[in-house]
Amino acid sequence: EISIFLSTKGWETDRGRIHIINGYPEKISYEYNNQNEFEIWEYTNRHYIFINNSGYYELYDPNNRNY
């Protein structure tokens, strides 16, 4: 499964797509809890939260309880 992530092109990832649409974020920060690591990208009018899934950051959806 990890080999799939390593062969994924940047523009095919959640972070890559957000970067293409919005450009480089104004601020990047990190937050942690007991189970997960989050990367937060902040723009003037919005923010995106990515969850670290074994080194592969996915756009966080709080309605998806599989995290």
Side-chain angles (χ1 to χ4, degrees), residues 3-64:
S3 63
I4 293 170
F5 296 143
L6 294 176
S7 65
T8 302
K9 294 177 175 76
W11 58 270
E12 294 177 321
T13 66
D14 290 342
R15 290 190 302 180
R17 286 189 291 273
I18 297 299
H19 183 269
I20 289 168
I21 293 167
N22 297 295
Y24 197 77
E26 296 170 14
K27 180 180 176 187
I28 298 175
S29 57
Y30 299 89
E31 292 190 14
Y32 308 88
N33 65 23
N34 292 337
Q35 298 175 342
N36 297 304
E37 173 188 347
F38 301 92
E39 183 174 286
I40 299 99
W41 286 17
E42 297 181 39
Y43 295 89
T44 302
N45 297 321
R46 67 188 68 179
H47 67 275
Y48 297 92
I49 301 172
F50 302 93
I51 187 167
N52 185 345
N53 183 8
S54 301
Y56 181 79
Y57 285 86
E58 297 177 324
L59 193 58
Y60 176 67
D61 178 1
N63 296 314
N64 182 351

